[in-house]
Amino acid sequence: MVGNDIVDLKEAEKASNWQRPRWLDKLFTISEKQLIHNSENPFVMVWRLWSMKEAAYKLFIQTNPSRFYNPKGFECSISDNSGVIEFKAFKCFVQTKITSNYIISEAHLEHQKLTSEIMKFTTADYNKQSKELKSRLMEFVGRLHHLKKNEFGVPTLYNGREALNVSLTHHGCYGAYAIG
Amino acid sequence: MKKDELIAKLKTIIAPYIQDEEAFKDLSEDTDFVKDLKINSANLVDIILDIEDEFDIRLENEDMEQMLDVKSAMAIVNSKLEA
């Protein structure tokens, strides 16, 4: 099982104002806010922690089918490019890669390397990007597979014999898929 | 607050964040912020803050948890206004 999340830093700068009053308080714990305030680049730390929480949530709902919005509940601790996230009794391990264009995080139940295949879209349209990302994934796994989302929005690949867990993410002009 | 009035106010709040125009045109109580309107989850918090400002209320973490569709947003706003 895998959960991933990509943040396009240009898009994040444009679409969100993390310095808006109460914005950080709604999403981050006290210790996470300390990480942000003590960081050399608070903007990057905000989006690093955000992508970790999103990746962990996507993994969590595979183990506990449900849908909700509680980013603050997913508590992050970090060291180098790794992180641990705890949500109630759930715990997972996250790897993050930070470039000047994007941040990507990938959550697993065990320590694992980052495997996400990252792409830059040719279109800005959300629905077209979704299609582009899916067709890239299908090219990779082969046409015998088909992709289905359950009622909670969790995608799975089926090939008639087995089911493969997969995680898809897109934001701004970047997208990624991971198979786990 | 009356249903139509509340939906109209929510529609104005949501408008800047939507990524699916067609679904937005057909907005109803059953419209889902993420599945239908394709709102980025990082912007859900902006919607929550905009709702707080517009209605002069404060939403707790438990309220935020349910904020995934128009119906839930309406129920939460009304319960806060009545409180």
Side-chain angles (χ1 to χ4, degrees), chain B residues 7 23-32 69-71 74:
Chain B
I7 289 192
F24 186 64
K25 268 187 222 154
D26 298 333
L27 186 129
S28 74
E29 279 181 73
D30 295 320
T31 303
D32 191 287
D69 53 57
V70 175
K71 201 186 284 170
M74 290 170 69

Side-chain angles (χ1 to χ4, degrees), chain A residues 5 11 15-17 20-23 26-27 47 50 54 57 67-73 87-88 124-127 130 150-153 170-171, chain B residues 17 19-20 32-35 38-53 57-61 63-69:
Chain A
D5 189 72
E11 175 70 19
S16 299
N17 174 14
R20 177 178 181 180
R22 314 197 302 284
W23 198 92
K26 289 267 190 257
L27 300 177
W47 294 107
W50 172 260
E54 280 286 289
Y57 168 77
R67 263 187 96 218
F68 56 92
Y69 187 63
N70 185 6
K72 198 171 178 172
F87 175 67
K88 297 173 183 169
D125 182 271
Y126 183 96
N127 290 316
S130 274
N150 72 7
E151 59 179 305
F152 304 108
H170 65 130
H171 184 238
Chain B
Y17 309 108
Q19 296 192 89
D20 192 311
D32 191 287
F33 293 151
V34 181
K35 283 190 206 167
K38 313 286 193 261
I39 292 171
N40 190 278
S41 46
N43 283 135
L44 281 181
V45 70
D46 290 301
I47 292 179
I48 288 161
L49 292 173
D50 291 344
I51 286 175
E52 289 189 341
D53 292 342
I57 54 177
R58 285 292 176 268
L59 302 178
E60 305 303 324
N61 223 29
D63 306 316
M64 281 175 63
E65 265 199 291
Q66 309 307 319
M67 274 287 196
L68 290 168
D69 53 57

Side-chain angles (χ1 to χ4, degrees), chain A residues 36-101:
Chain A
I36 293 165
H37 293 310
N38 295 335
S39 168
E40 272 177 37
N41 189 337
F43 168 75
V44 167
M45 184 57 84
V46 163
W47 294 107
R48 173 184 182 174
L49 293 171
W50 172 260
S51 75
M52 289 174 68
K53 286 169 184 275
E54 280 286 289
Y57 168 77
K58 287 183 184 171
L59 182 62
F60 177 80
I61 61 169
Q62 292 173 43
T63 56
N64 297 265
S66 51
R67 263 187 96 218
F68 56 92
Y69 187 63
N70 185 6
K72 198 171 178 172
F74 287 79
E75 298 183 41
C76 305
S77 53
I78 55 169
S79 66
D80 299 326
N81 292 323
S82 311
V84 175
I85 296 193
E86 289 179 82
F87 175 67
K88 297 173 183 169
F90 172 84
K91 185 177 180 179
C92 67
F93 301 90
V94 181
Q95 288 293 321
T96 302
K97 183 181 163 187
I98 302 174
T99 75
S100 53
N101 295 315

Side-chain angles (χ1 to χ4, degrees), chain A:
Chain A
M1 272 184 285
V2 59
N4 69 355
D5 189 72
I6 199 161
V7 172
D8 178 332
L9 291 173
K10 271 207 192 85
E11 175 70 19
E13 202 167 11
K14 208 169 53 185
S16 299
N17 174 14
W18 67 271
Q19 284 161 314
R20 177 178 181 180
R22 314 197 302 284
W23 198 92
L24 288 178
D25 300 329
K26 289 267 190 257
L27 300 177
F28 298 98
T29 64
I30 292 170
S31 68
E32 289 161 356
K33 282 190 281 183
Q34 272 167 354
L35 282 174
I36 293 165
H37 293 310
N38 295 335
S39 168
E40 272 177 37
N41 189 337
F43 168 75
V44 167
M45 184 57 84
V46 163
W47 294 107
R48 173 184 182 174
L49 293 171
W50 172 260
S51 75
M52 289 174 68
K53 286 169 184 275
E54 280 286 289
Y57 168 77
K58 287 183 184 171
L59 182 62
F60 177 80
I61 61 169
Q62 292 173 43
T63 56
N64 297 265
S66 51
R67 263 187 96 218
F68 56 92
Y69 187 63
N70 185 6
K72 198 171 178 172
F74 287 79
E75 298 183 41
C76 305
S77 53
I78 55 169
S79 66
D80 299 326
N81 292 323
S82 311
V84 175
I85 296 193
E86 289 179 82
F87 175 67
K88 297 173 183 169
F90 172 84
K91 185 177 180 179
C92 67
F93 301 90
V94 181
Q95 288 293 321
T96 302
K97 183 181 163 187
I98 302 174
T99 75
S100 53
N101 295 315
Y102 60 80
I103 296 177
I104 183 157
S105 290
E106 196 176 302
H108 295 271
L109 295 173
E110 309 285 339
H111 280 288
Q112 228 166 299
K113 278 188 190 153
L114 201 133
T115 60
S116 285
E117 199 52 44
I118 296 151
M119 60 180 286
K120 193 171 182 184
F121 295 115
T122 54
T123 163
D125 182 271
Y126 183 96
N127 290 316
K128 282 183 191 148
Q129 288 183 345
S130 274
K131 273 192 196 140
E132 215 175 309
L133 181 61
K134 276 175 204 155
S135 72
R136 279 284 287 270
L137 170 66
M138 299 319 281
E139 263 168 46
F140 178 75
V141 294
R143 298 280 164 193
L144 286 176
H145 291 78
H146 70 274
L147 188 69
K148 230 178 112 179
K149 273 192 181 176
N150 72 7
E151 59 179 305
F152 304 108
V154 176
T156 306
L157 275 172
Y158 297 93
N159 66 6
R161 292 193 317 275
E162 52 176 357
L164 282 174
N165 286 114
V166 56
S167 184
L168 301 165
T169 175
H170 65 130
H171 184 238
C173 53
Y174 292 95
Y177 64 80
I179 304 167

